[in-house]
């Protein structure tokens, strides 16, 4: 990564702000800060495209603090955030950045808290108001929040705000903004609703796009486990017990799931608490305080309530349910790896969700490591180690003498020896987290089955290639795509689009023949209507592919020999192929024909199950 050449001291920021940055150890701005701050200091409207973890809060906060008039009573800026948690976090960061500005008042307002207290705070005066759109609108309509002296309006995480249904509130608030006010919008993505807000309210905005410069992913180790062998609840327990965690967030999709999983984990001795949008704000704030102080170690949460959650001791994020989109995933894993610490994210993914996993990897430009669950004997060993550590701390406890007398009394009354009594007490203490298991671990059997399947696929592919067998072609159609070399398309573009946009695996992509103005590709006849619909809408390099079924079947090399000699595929390996020998009206495709190494692709597959004879 290229270092920033600019430093904060080179920007036109006041000394109070620079001294605060210096105290915090910040010397150089992040890319979004370096690009946005000069525009915002000029007073220009601005549109920033940036994901979480890029430093966008400071990007709009520093210029805002720089132009405050401290003796002005009414609010000078409104910052809107999609959730209470994010509003609280943004307000806290503004206060930290302005810690050396005497008399600075930053007020956070949101639903679920006393509106009377918030109205009282507004009467006392505030320089900056940070709030959720619903409560901001409510206070404006009650004539308690006055905008006549507001010179800046900021929408943070605008895409999430509008996706959550705040479009009408945001539009109404922006309509109340003074004509001369500066309007600033930050968003990770630019869906149509965000573009509508930009086009309507921002005037010739400076555009800053550092969406690809996200630092969150780089700080977090990412792994995934494919759900096989055991249920996800059992998988979560194994991971929580064997990973070296401090505090963790487990993300699920629904409020019901947060409560169910938190109860399940609690019943097995974990210090887990549910966190979702229907919990009263006071209880949510207390829950966050508990995890900060170590009273709770695990939060089972939904996406919305965890936005803006900043707890340095969170070392792990577990994605119990895969998110619906990449942005949500980035926000999730951004809850760890904070305050300069390393973080880890583990995703539990079902086999039919692998496509979303690959999309996340592609968009975040990262690679996740596939892991296997620890065997339950390893889990039991981890429990034993933990028990030993806990007992070690009790060795010198002053009350042990009393308990020793109790042990002797129980031993005599039950007429058993001390070892047997200790074993009975240990068995009672372990509850639902046994220190050893009886019987075979289902994960071991699943791992062996997976090894066997992979071995069969590997051997089947080897045998097919060695014996010159072609693929069974009766289940394939050839499609002509209206893009080719003239449009700058390469084979990797075709394969990537089919895999990422249609969700096709390598076993579902046949031969590919790239020509000047078009491309031929073999796809399964058995594609679902949903996949076929996506194929009709497919775009490659910003061009519609216009896929249509055709009769093309000559995927042999166009430049080389056609005498039945050795053909070469893109890896340079010799492959024998048979002459066409095709009857009229019969379509046959020899999967071992490599094709033009400028543009042919042959999907690699094992087909031991399709072989007819050796």
């Amino acid at each position: 990564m290229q270092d920033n050449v600019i430093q904060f001291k080179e920007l036109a920021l006041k000394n109070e702000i620079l001294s605060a940055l210096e105290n915090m150890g910040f010397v150089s701005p992040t890319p979004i800060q370096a690009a946005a701050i000069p525009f915002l200091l000029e007073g220009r409207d601005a549109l920033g495209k940036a994901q979480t973890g890029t430093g966008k809060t400071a990007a709009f906060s520093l210029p805002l603090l720089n132009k405050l008039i401290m003796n002005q009573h009414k609010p000078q800026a409104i910052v809107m955030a999609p959730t209470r948690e994010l509003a609280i976090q943004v307000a806290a960061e503004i206060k930290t950045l302005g810690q050396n500005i005497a008399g600075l008042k930053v007020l956070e307002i949101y639903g679920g808290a006393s509106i009377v207290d918030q109205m009282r705070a507004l009467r006392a005066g505030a320089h900056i108001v940070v709030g959720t759109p619903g409560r901001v609108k409510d206070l404006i309509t009650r004539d308690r929040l006055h905008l006549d002296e507001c010179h800046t309006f900021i929408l943070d995480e605008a895409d999430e705000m509008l996706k959550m249904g705040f479009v009408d509130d945001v539009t109404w608030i922006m309509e109340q903004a003074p004509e001369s006010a500066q309007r600033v919008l930050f968003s990770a993505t630019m869906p149509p609703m965000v573009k509508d807000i930009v086009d309507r309210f921002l005037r010739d905005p400076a555009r800053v796009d550092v969406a690809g410069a996200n630092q969150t992913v780089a700080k977090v180790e990412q792994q995934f486990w494919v759900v096989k062998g055991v249920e996800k609840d059992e998988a979560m327990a194994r991971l929580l017990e064997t990973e070296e965690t401090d505090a963790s967030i487990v993300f699920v999709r629904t409020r019901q799931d947060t409560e169910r999983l938190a109860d399940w984990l609690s019943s097995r001795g974990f210090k887990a608490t549910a966190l979702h949008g229907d919990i009263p704000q006071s209880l949510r704030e207390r829950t966050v305080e508990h995890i900060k102080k170590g009273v709770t170690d695990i939060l089972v949460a939904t996406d919305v309530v965890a936005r803006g959650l900043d707890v340095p001791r969170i070392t792990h994020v577990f994605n119990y349910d895969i998110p619906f989109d990449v942005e949500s995933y980035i926000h999730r894993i951004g809850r760890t790896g904070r305050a300069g610490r390393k973080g880890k994210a583990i995703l539990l993914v079902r086999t039919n969700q692998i496509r979303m996993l690959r999309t996340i990897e592609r968009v975040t430009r990262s690679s996740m490591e596939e892991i296997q669950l620890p065997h339950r004997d390893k889990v039991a060993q981890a429990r034993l180690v933990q028990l030993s550590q806990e007992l070690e701390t009790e060795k010198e406890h002053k009350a042990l003498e009393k308990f020793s007398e109790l042990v002797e009394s129980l031993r005599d009354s039950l007429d058993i020896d001390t070892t047997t009594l200790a074993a009975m007490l240990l068995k009672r203490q372990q509850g639902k987290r046994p220190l050893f298991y009886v019987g075979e671990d289902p994960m071991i059997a699943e791992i062996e089955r997976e090894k066997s399947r992979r071995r069969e696929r590997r051997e089947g592919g080897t045998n097919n290639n060695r014996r010159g067998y072609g693929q069974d072609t009766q289940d394939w159609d050839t499609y002509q795509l209206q893009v080719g070399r003239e449009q700058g398309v390469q084979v990797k573009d075709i394969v990537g689009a089919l895999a990422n946009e249609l969700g096709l695996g390598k076993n579902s992509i046949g031969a590919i023949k790239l020509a000047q103005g078009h491309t031929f590709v073999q796809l399964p006849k058995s594609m679902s209507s949903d996949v076929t619909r996506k194929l009709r809408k497919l775009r490659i390099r910003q061009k519609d592919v216009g896929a249509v079924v055709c009769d093309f079947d000559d995927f042999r090399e166009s430049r080389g020999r056609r005498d039945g000699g050795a053909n070469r595929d893109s890896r340079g390996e010799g492959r024998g192929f048979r002459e066409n020998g095709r009857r009229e009206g019969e379509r046959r495709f020899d999967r071992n024909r490599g094709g033009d190494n400028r543009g042919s692709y042959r999907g690699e597959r094992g087909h031991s199950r399709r072989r007819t004879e050796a």
Side-chain angles (χ1 to χ4, degrees), residues 80-300:
M80 284 179 279
T83 68
R84 308 168 220 186
E85 286 72 24
L86 186 59
I88 292 170
Q89 179 188 328
V90 169
E93 186 162 348
I94 293 175
K95 292 173 186 176
T96 301
L97 294 170
Q99 59 187 280
N100 294 338
I101 300 177
L104 175 65
K105 291 184 179 180
V106 180
L107 174 63
E108 51 267 47
I109 58 175
Y110 44 81
S114 169
I115 195 169
V116 175
D117 291 343
Q118 293 172 2
M119 290 190 292
R120 187 180 299 115
L122 284 170
R123 283 199 303 271
H127 298 105
I128 301 171
V129 171
V130 184
T132 52
R135 182 52 62 93
V136 169
K137 180 182 178 182
D138 194 357
L139 288 166
I140 294 173
T141 56
R142 290 172 184 248
D143 198 29
R144 295 296 188 273
L145 175 56
H146 302 126
L147 306 182
D148 52 302
E149 295 184 7
C150 274
H151 52 61
T152 306
F153 286 76
I154 297 172
L155 276 64
D156 190 16
E157 297 199 9
D159 51 349
E160 185 66 21
M161 196 181 310
L162 301 182
K163 187 166 64 177
M164 291 171 61
F166 286 124
V167 60
D168 291 337
D169 289 344
V170 169
T171 300
W172 186 89
I173 293 166
M174 295 301 288
E175 287 173 346
Q176 315 307 311
E179 184 64 28
S180 60
Q182 182 181 26
R183 293 90 182 267
V184 180
L185 184 149
F186 280 88
S187 185
T189 60
M190 289 294 156
M193 284 192 299
V194 173
K195 291 179 180 177
D196 290 343
I197 295 291
V198 171
D199 293 341
R200 182 173 176 184
F201 294 108
L202 272 63
R203 299 150 304 191
D204 187 26
R207 296 176 183 266
V208 180
D209 186 352
V210 296
N214 186 286
Q215 301 301 308
T216 299
V217 175
K219 296 186 295 184
V220 179
E221 180 184 358
Q222 299 173 80
Q223 298 175 336
F224 73 94
W225 172 67
V226 180
V227 180
K228 295 177 184 175
V230 301
E231 293 298 321
K232 289 202 289 185
D233 288 0
E234 168 67 15
M236 277 306 315
R238 294 193 188 193
L239 292 169
L240 286 166
E241 291 196 66
T242 54
E243 288 285 326
E244 295 183 4
T245 64
D246 187 356
S248 308
I249 300 183
V250 181
F251 280 102
V252 297
R253 284 183 177 163
T254 68
R255 174 185 63 79
Q256 293 83 356
D257 287 339
T258 65
E259 295 178 345
R260 183 200 63 78
L261 184 56
D263 289 344
W264 189 89
L265 291 171
S266 297
S267 71
R268 282 154 180 78
F270 296 98
K271 295 191 290 184
T273 304
L275 186 66
H276 57 77
D278 290 346
I279 294 176
Q281 181 63 23
S282 58
L283 180 56
R284 287 161 67 177
E285 292 174 359
R286 185 159 63 249
T287 299
V288 173
E289 281 302 308
H290 282 175
I291 196 167
K292 287 181 178 179
K293 295 177 179 178
V295 177
T296 297
D297 289 332
I298 303 165
L299 290 181
V300 185

Side-chain angles (χ1 to χ4, degrees), residues 444-462:
I444 296 177
E446 176 56 39
I447 292 171
E448 289 304 315
R449 283 194 296 270
E450 182 64 22
K451 286 182 180 178
S452 177
R453 284 193 292 265
R454 290 181 179 179
R455 183 165 56 250
E456 289 176 2
R457 287 197 296 267
R458 187 167 57 249
E459 292 174 354
T462 301

Side-chain angles (χ1 to χ4, degrees), residues 480-521:
Q480 181 174 340
L481 312 183
Q482 310 309 315
V483 291
R485 292 195 188 95
E486 290 178 352
Q487 290 78 30
V489 171
Q490 302 178 42
V491 171
K492 65 180 182 181
D493 299 321
I494 305 291
V495 175
L498 295 174
N500 296 322
E501 303 302 326
L502 272 62
L504 297 178
K506 66 179 182 180
N507 291 346
S508 298
I509 303 175
I512 295 177
K513 186 80 167 187
L514 193 65
Q516 283 300 106
H518 56 267
T519 300
F520 298 104
V521 58

